[in-house]
Amino acid sequence: MDFKPVEFEGFKMQAGSNAFTMSPQKWISGTNAIGIISRSGRYGGTFTHRDIAFEFASWISAEFKLYIIKDYQRLKLDENGRLSLGWNLNRTLAKINYRIHTDAIKEKLIPADISPQQQSITYANEADVLMWLYLVKRRTANPDTKGNIRDQASLQQLIILANLESLNAEFIRQDIP
């Protein structure tokens, strides 16, 4: 069933006439329209896909159209606000715990007489242990993933990583290998 544009043009040309009437059944049969159903009789009526209903209601009422636009904008702002706030909060939590973790490494694992390059290796080794334990499994499952693994982690993963960093920092301070 393909839409019949020639029939549509005929309806469009007749639409200005005072004698022209259009019913849903006439529209459906004339144009092979989909997304709209019209039944006569008891329990009959015209039913459409919600997108068609919204468009029709918007055409009928400018107030309704404005309501739909404003509500959509409100929902998108609310959604973006909730998502970005949660992600930023957990990313910040992970950053704070990372700092606690690096301070513990500096206090307990890095001797004063080693080079900055050796210090970097010590920090990286400790971070790699936690990253490997938790987040690298994600990288292995998704080898095409680029960039910082933390930035692509879910909120749950960031919380777990932050907790692992806190625990590891405490273990380092207690000289637990």
Side-chain angles (χ1 to χ4, degrees), residues 81-95:
R82 279 186 288 115
L83 292 177
S84 67
L85 176 64
W87 186 86
N88 284 332
L89 183 62
N90 284 294
R91 181 73 168 118
T92 302
L93 177 63
K95 244 197 256 185

Side-chain angles (χ1 to χ4, degrees), residues 43-174:
Y43 306 114
T46 302
F47 308 93
T48 70
H49 185 275
R50 71 173 156 238
D51 293 345
I52 296 170
F54 282 146
E55 183 60 30
F56 181 74
S58 295
W59 175 70
I60 297 270
S61 168
E63 182 182 354
F64 179 79
K65 184 172 188 169
L66 185 60
Y67 171 78
I68 293 293
I69 291 168
K70 291 291 187 187
D71 204 43
Y72 175 79
Q73 290 171 340
R74 181 190 59 77
L75 288 171
K76 290 309 282 181
L77 283 172
D78 181 51
E79 177 186 339
N80 290 337
R82 279 186 288 115
L83 292 177
S84 67
L85 176 64
W87 186 86
N88 284 332
L89 183 62
N90 284 294
R91 181 73 168 118
T92 302
L93 177 63
K95 244 197 256 185
I96 291 167
N97 280 341
Y98 181 74
R99 180 63 187 217
I100 292 168
H101 190 233
T102 56
D103 288 348
I105 294 167
K106 184 178 183 179
E107 291 169 15
K108 293 289 189 170
L109 298 180
I110 297 181
D113 59 344
I114 65 171
S115 71
Q117 185 178 7
Q118 290 171 319
Q119 289 177 8
S120 296
I121 291 170
T122 304
Y123 286 122
N125 286 342
E126 284 297 317
D128 285 349
V129 168
L130 298 178
M131 295 294 275
W132 184 85
L133 282 172
Y134 197 72
L135 294 179
V136 170
K137 286 186 178 185
R138 273 186 44 117
R139 181 69 63 125
T140 305
N142 303 300
D144 297 332
T145 305
K146 304 275 188 254
N148 187 332
I149 298 172
R150 283 178 189 259
D151 290 337
Q152 297 164 12
S154 70
L155 298 178
Q156 290 173 325
Q157 290 168 329
L158 288 172
I159 290 170
I160 291 169
L161 182 63
N163 289 331
L164 286 172
E165 287 173 341
S166 292
L167 288 170
N168 197 45
E170 193 56 36
F171 295 154
I172 290 169
R173 285 194 175 99
Q174 294 177 13

